Amino acid sequence: MQKWIGKRPTMGQKALVSKYDKLLMQAQNTILNPTEKILKVIEAECDKKSGRELDGVFILTTESVLFISKREHMVYKYSQISDIDVRTDGKDKNEWQITLQIGRSRRTFDDIKKNDDSQEFIEILEHMITNQSQKIITTVTHDFDYFLHAETLENLRNREIKITSFLMKRDDMGHTKNGERLLREKHKDAELIVEGFYQDKQKKGNFIVVDNNVLLYEYDNKERKAKQINKWSYNFFTNAVIDHFAIKTVISNDEGKLVLNSSGKDFANILSKVNIPFKFKKRKLHQKILGFRSGKWWKKTIASLVYLFTLLMIIAIVFGEEPTETDSIKSTTEVSDSESEKAEEEARLAEEQRKQEEEARLAEEQRKQEEEARLAEEQRKQEEEARLAEEQRKQEEEARLAEEQRKQEEEARLAEEQEQQTNVFYKNCSQAKAAGAAPIHKGEPGYAKHLDRDGDGVGCDS
């Protein structure tokens, strides 16, 4: 599972892989492309508000964003995501909520625990959406055998390769590990790399490398740089005196002392292998006892007190009074009562926890029912509003059709009247008077100039 969480995962990442191992294996075989590399994986929940609670893993790769659960898989290319919204979950301030804008739709993922892994996930997501073409190194893709020292960081900056903030934090394993990794990169075939120093008039260096020669380095963990400050051939240690202490080893000659914080025997074996003569410092019997080797009075005092205390403890255990039968029964009864009380307390706590879990389950069920009822009520209101809107539209349509019919009937009536007016004709006034139309004013049906002899606009007026 190293592909999913890298060489140096957090405890949370290990737990995630253990929980979703089958799901991740299925995704690796059926969903991911062979060229697709995992950038980060976290646990999340999808679309809680819609009524579908999908627990699964939220995945970032070099090509896409994925959400994988037992019931459903989602895959989105970075080019499909136009915007993201990251905020604290409204129900739990210790969790994140991430919303992706995909076209006109929005997809929300929540229940994301706030920690270094989720913070790195958000940093990667924001980077890939805005600048997918720029390569990024994460805690999953980085090989922690190699240290991100100053030269490497400068090289990555020149190549415009981004490094996540959490990777910089996670890659810092402390002075010893960082120095060893840096020097191992410089001296791939070194037989020994160990912390130590050289002392003549003053103390120099903090790392010793044995690689065909013996090299002394000064490593600066803050600057992430190592500088070689001395170099000796093996012959420099001819006839040197090697003194092994409990932890460190001192190699002395006429010019100074080389002090190794560990691996002193390995250094002596290397000198023997290349036929360099040396000798071990001889000590008296009492000087071979831990605490008496250096000859310093304060170390001897502390060692003596420790040894004396240990001796007294052994004597007390061996020669102490054996408990009587009554004491034994009493002790057994007390232990039994104590165990009984402890068992009762554990049972009580377990019962309280069960009740709390049951209350939480009932509360969650009630919340779901209320949510379903709310959604059903909203749907009913929407359907009622749609029905009323449809009825209003029909009424407006009927009124419009009635108004159009009324207009058509009015136009037909006016046309009929016009036609009637156009068709009335009186040959003379006698005919007009017989029809009861005289006198006929200009504009009235049947008016004509031959009926208005005097031209005053009134025909058949005499």
Side-chain angles (χ1 to χ4, degrees):
M1 286 295 172
Q2 184 174 307
K3 176 178 181 178
W4 295 95
I5 56 177
K7 275 191 171 184
R8 195 165 184 256
T10 61
M11 293 299 294
Q13 292 275 281
K14 291 178 181 178
L16 182 148
V17 167
S18 177
K19 182 177 180 180
Y20 294 102
D21 56 344
K22 292 182 180 178
L23 201 60
L24 294 174
M25 189 64 68
Q26 180 186 355
Q28 182 173 332
N29 295 332
T30 60
I31 299 175
L32 296 180
N33 296 326
T35 58
E36 206 166 1
K37 292 184 178 179
I38 307 299
L39 298 179
K40 196 67 181 180
V41 180
I42 58 174
E43 187 174 5
E45 187 175 276
C46 179
D47 280 354
K48 180 183 285 185
K49 291 184 179 179
S50 69
R52 294 184 306 153
E53 294 189 0
L54 300 176
D55 294 322
V57 286
F58 206 4
I59 304 168
L60 297 179
T61 74
T62 51
E63 299 178 13
S64 54
V65 180
L66 303 91
F67 179 80
I68 301 174
S69 68
K70 291 181 179 179
R71 289 183 289 170
E72 187 175 344
H73 302 332
M74 306 172 194
V75 181
Y76 305 108
K77 295 293 184 182
Y78 290 111
S79 57
Q80 294 178 263
I81 304 172
S82 57
D83 193 19
I84 61 171
D85 179 56
V86 181
R87 63 181 64 188
T88 298
D89 196 321
K91 294 184 178 180
D92 190 341
K93 65 180 182 179
N94 295 317
E95 293 180 348
W96 291 114
Q97 182 185 79
I98 300 176
T99 302
L100 305 181
Q101 184 72 41
I102 304 164
R104 295 184 179 180
S105 63
R106 294 167 70 84
R107 181 72 75 183
T108 299
F109 304 88
D110 52 15
D111 285 0
I112 301 170
K113 293 181 180 178
K114 285 186 177 182
N115 52 36
D116 289 325
D117 288 311
S118 60
Q119 194 64 51
E120 183 181 34
F121 184 95
I122 293 168
E123 182 182 356
I124 297 166
L125 178 59
E126 291 174 343
H127 170 79
M128 295 302 290
I129 290 174
T130 57
N131 195 357
Q132 187 181 356
S133 60
Q134 184 183 8
K135 186 178 178 181
I136 185 169
I137 303 176
T138 72
T139 52
V140 177
T141 60
H142 177 57
D143 184 353
F144 284 93
D145 291 341
Y146 296 93
F147 178 46
L148 293 173
H149 56 80
E151 291 181 12
T152 299
L153 293 174
E154 182 65 24
N155 181 38
L156 292 174
R157 277 193 291 269
N158 292 336
R159 292 163 57 194
E160 296 185 347
I161 296 176
K162 179 177 175 58
I163 303 169
T164 64
S165 302
F166 185 40
L167 172 56
M168 290 297 296
K169 177 181 175 181
R170 195 74 176 154
D171 188 61
D172 187 356
M173 301 181 192
H175 184 279
T176 302
K177 283 285 186 181
N178 293 346
E180 286 178 358
R181 287 187 294 159
L182 189 157
L183 294 171
R184 180 63 64 187
E185 185 176 341
K186 287 179 174 289
H187 302 277
K188 292 182 173 59
D189 299 323
E191 294 184 71
L192 183 65
I193 298 175
V194 63
E195 279 191 284
F197 60 90
Y198 180 72
Q199 187 165 9
D200 44 17
K201 294 180 181 178
Q202 60 182 5
K203 187 176 176 180
K204 298 177 183 178
N206 52 23
F207 271 94
I208 296 161
V209 178
V210 180
D211 185 11
N212 295 325
N213 293 283
V214 179
L215 310 170
L216 180 66
Y217 276 92
E218 183 71 46
Y219 171 66
D220 186 339
N221 196 47
K222 185 177 180 180
E223 296 293 328
R224 297 185 175 225
K225 292 181 179 179
K227 178 183 178 183
Q228 182 182 320
I229 58 176
N230 216 331
K231 177 180 179 180
W232 303 281
S233 67
Y234 291 130
N235 292 327
F236 177 80
F237 299 97
T238 301
N239 297 323
V241 177
I242 297 179
D243 190 5
H244 290 304
F245 289 82
I247 299 174
K248 67 180 181 180
T249 297
V250 178
I251 300 97
S252 306
N253 62 14
D254 295 337
E255 298 188 29
K257 297 178 180 180
L258 186 68
V259 180
L260 281 66
N261 290 0
S262 63
S263 306
K265 292 181 179 179
D266 293 335
F267 186 85
N269 291 335
I270 292 171
L271 293 181
S272 298
K273 188 170 65 175
V274 293
N275 299 320
I276 298 298
F278 61 87
K279 54 188 176 181
F280 291 105
K281 185 173 182 178
K282 294 182 179 180
R283 296 177 180 275
K284 295 179 180 180
L285 182 61
H286 74 277
Q287 291 178 327
K288 294 181 181 181
I289 300 173
L290 187 63
F292 290 81
R293 296 178 179 182
S294 63
K296 295 181 179 179
W297 68 269
W298 61 272
K299 287 187 177 182
K300 290 181 180 179
T301 303
I302 294 173
S304 298
L305 291 173
V306 171
Y307 293 142
L308 179 60
F309 177 77
T310 304
L311 180 61
L312 291 174
M313 288 294 294
I314 293 171
I315 292 172
I317 293 170
V318 174
F319 298 102
E321 291 185 5
E322 294 184 4
T324 63
E325 185 177 350
T326 304
D327 292 337
S328 177
I329 293 171
K330 184 179 178 181
S331 177
T332 304
T333 304
E334 289 176 354
V335 170
S336 178
D337 292 342
S338 176
E339 288 179 352
S340 177
E341 290 175 2
K342 185 177 179 181
E344 289 175 0
E345 180 66 14
E346 289 177 351
R348 185 183 65 78
L349 292 174
E351 179 64 18
E352 286 183 1
Q353 184 175 358
R354 187 192 65 76
K355 287 181 179 179
Q356 290 173 357
E357 291 174 352
E358 181 66 15
E359 289 173 358
R361 184 186 66 79
L362 292 174
E364 180 65 14
E365 286 183 359
Q366 184 177 357
R367 186 192 65 77
K368 288 181 181 178
Q369 290 172 358
E370 291 173 354
E371 181 70 12
E372 290 173 357
R374 185 185 65 78
L375 292 173
E377 179 64 17
E378 286 184 0
Q379 185 174 359
R380 188 192 64 74
K381 287 181 180 179
Q382 290 173 357
E383 291 174 352
E384 180 66 16
E385 289 173 359
R387 185 185 64 77
L388 293 173
E390 180 64 18
E391 286 183 0
Q392 184 177 355
R393 187 190 64 77
K394 287 181 179 179
Q395 291 173 358
E396 291 174 352
E397 181 67 16
E398 289 173 357
R400 185 183 64 78
L401 293 174
E403 179 65 19
E404 286 184 358
Q405 185 175 359
R406 189 190 63 76
K407 286 182 179 179
Q408 290 173 359
E409 290 174 352
E410 180 67 18
E411 289 174 357
R413 186 183 64 75
L414 292 173
E416 185 177 352
E417 288 180 358
Q418 181 71 26
E419 186 178 357
Q420 288 176 357
Q421 292 176 5
T422 305
N423 294 338
V424 175
F425 177 74
Y426 300 107
K427 186 175 182 181
N428 49 45
C429 285
S430 298
Q431 192 177 4
K433 289 176 180 178
I440 306 170
H441 293 80
K442 189 175 181 180
E444 292 180 347
Y447 174 83
K449 287 184 179 181
H450 68 277
L451 302 177
D452 187 11
R453 298 291 184 182
D454 53 6
D456 61 356
V458 181
C460 301
D461 56 346
S462 58

